[in-house]
Amino acid sequence: MTSTETTEDAPRYVKLKIELIAEITDEGALKAAALKQVAEDEYLDDEERAQSVEAIEVDPSGSLAHFIDPVALLGEVPGIELASATWESAQTEFDPESEEWDEYTVDASDE
């Protein structure tokens, strides 16, 4: 069996790990938008909807999780089908001046 045959015959799975740090600049706007999204989500049953609302009320990072869409991230990539996705959001300590976080810093002027 050649490497070409192996590539064509066997499915290939790739695990992507992406870490983003987002600054919440308007907690009220984020919360309102997340609550609206949950209210309009036709795929949530009543129990899931109640859990989502509770998460949004307790922690602003819970609001952000409702805007993560892995399908949108990979949906337009040819030859890819999303097999599974999990994600979470949690508050973190972040000091943009610390060298520890240099790899995470995005300079808008570079874009």
Side-chain angles (χ1 to χ4, degrees):
M1 184 183 302
T2 68
S3 62
T4 303
E5 290 171 358
T6 302
T7 302
E8 292 175 3
D9 293 341
R12 299 238 176 171
Y13 296 93
V14 177
K15 182 177 183 176
L16 301 173
K17 286 189 173 189
I18 300 170
E19 185 168 327
L20 305 170
I21 297 177
E23 177 182 5
I24 297 173
T25 58
D26 186 337
E27 188 174 328
L30 175 61
K31 181 178 175 179
L35 288 171
K36 182 177 188 250
Q37 178 137 340
V38 167
E40 295 174 354
D41 189 333
E42 63 189 60
Y43 298 107
L44 290 177
D45 63 33
D46 290 342
E47 184 178 337
E48 292 170 321
R49 193 175 318 280
Q51 290 172 349
S52 295
V53 168
E54 181 180 354
I56 291 166
E57 296 290 347
V58 170
D59 182 359
S61 66
S63 299
L64 184 57
H66 292 282
F67 295 98
I68 306 303
D69 184 357
V71 174
L73 181 63
L74 294 177
E76 299 297 318
V77 179
I80 297 294
E81 182 177 326
L82 182 63
S84 175
T86 61
W87 64 95
E88 64 181 45
S89 59
Q91 292 184 14
T92 187
E93 295 295 320
F94 178 71
D95 177 4
E97 303 300 320
S98 170
E99 290 181 18
E100 172 187 3
W101 296 100
D102 280 348
E103 66 184 276
Y104 298 103
T105 304
V106 174
D107 185 353
S109 66
D110 290 343
E111 295 178 353

